[in-house]
Amino acid sequence: MLLDDTATVNDIVNFDVPQQSSDLLLCKPGSEWYIKNSPTSDPKLLFQYPIPSAEQLSQLRNAYGPAWFEGCQSLVDQHFGGAECFPVWVLTLWSEMVRIRDGQSTWKQSICWCIDESERCQKRGDSVTVALLETVHERLFKLPWNACMDFENGNTHTIELATYLGTWWLADDHINMMVKVLSEELAKKEQESRYVESQRAIIAPLTFSYDIMNINRKLQLSAKHFDHTVIKQYQ
């Protein structure tokens, strides 16, 4: 019914997921959505109507615990005027719809940026960048939209790559990914050129740079002593 994180970017940008709406925000408090009756409705019906707003979903999550203790088994969707009783796990379904919708929006923005940037470069006669963007655009549709990657000890996902394709600010994770790729490429070139060990270059992760910037504060050295340290030369 839903996409998993290994589905391709092409799959997610073409996936039909409902809009999110605040229309139901004032219908009823979250606690009144839960009833003790057994669920009777097919959750697939929910794909035909807007997802409750973020505030409404928050109310439903907060009301779930007390409702569960009272023996509630169903959630009444107010889209249907109380006529449809869904399993309580549809709250998880809605949350997953929101996550997929957010991912879809992110990738669509990146793809649009690639297309627009390619057109701008073409007008400037920058054929090299145009060819590069075309390659990126082609490979995007084979890339998993949110699969786990090896960067940052496996704590990064492919959706973070979308940030590179646009005007978003880069976070530390993005910079560390670039540093790792650059380090690996540099190591390959050094091996191919039979580098001299004493001339080997090492690119440190961003956390090391932060430590260098803050080391004087941590050590509390005088300017005279700090100027003679190796740390000062690196800085």
Side-chain angles (χ1 to χ4, degrees), residues 71-190:
C72 293
Q73 303 181 58
S74 300
L75 187 149
V76 179
D77 187 355
Q78 304 303 319
H79 286 113
F80 304 95
E84 299 287 353
C85 299
F86 296 100
V88 291
W89 54 259
V90 298
L91 180 57
T92 302
L93 176 63
W94 275 325
S95 298
E96 185 64 9
M97 284 181 179
V98 171
R99 189 178 74 91
I100 290 175
R101 181 162 189 79
D102 290 344
Q104 183 184 70
S105 175
T106 298
W107 278 117
K108 281 184 175 180
Q109 289 181 63
S110 295
I111 292 170
C112 287
W113 180 88
C114 277
I115 295 172
D116 293 343
E117 187 65 19
S118 180
E119 291 176 352
R120 285 190 288 267
C121 291
Q122 199 164 16
K123 291 178 181 178
R124 295 197 302 264
D126 187 353
S127 57
V128 175
T129 304
V130 170
L132 179 60
L133 287 170
E134 288 177 350
T135 301
V136 170
H137 188 264
E138 179 183 347
R139 294 183 179 180
L140 272 182
F141 288 96
K142 301 176 183 177
L143 181 77
W145 79 274
N146 195 37
C148 184
M149 297 190 294
D150 293 334
F151 299 105
E152 299 291 293
N153 298 317
N155 293 319
T156 55
H157 296 79
T158 49
I159 194 169
E160 295 178 55
L161 300 177
T163 306
Y164 295 115
L165 305 174
T167 56
W168 288 293
W169 287 98
L170 298 181
D172 290 359
D173 288 348
H174 300 105
I175 297 174
N176 283 332
M177 280 192 278
M178 290 191 293
V179 168
K180 183 176 181 181
V181 171
L182 184 58
S183 299
E184 291 173 350
E185 291 297 319
L186 182 61
K188 290 178 183 177
K189 291 183 178 180
E190 287 177 339

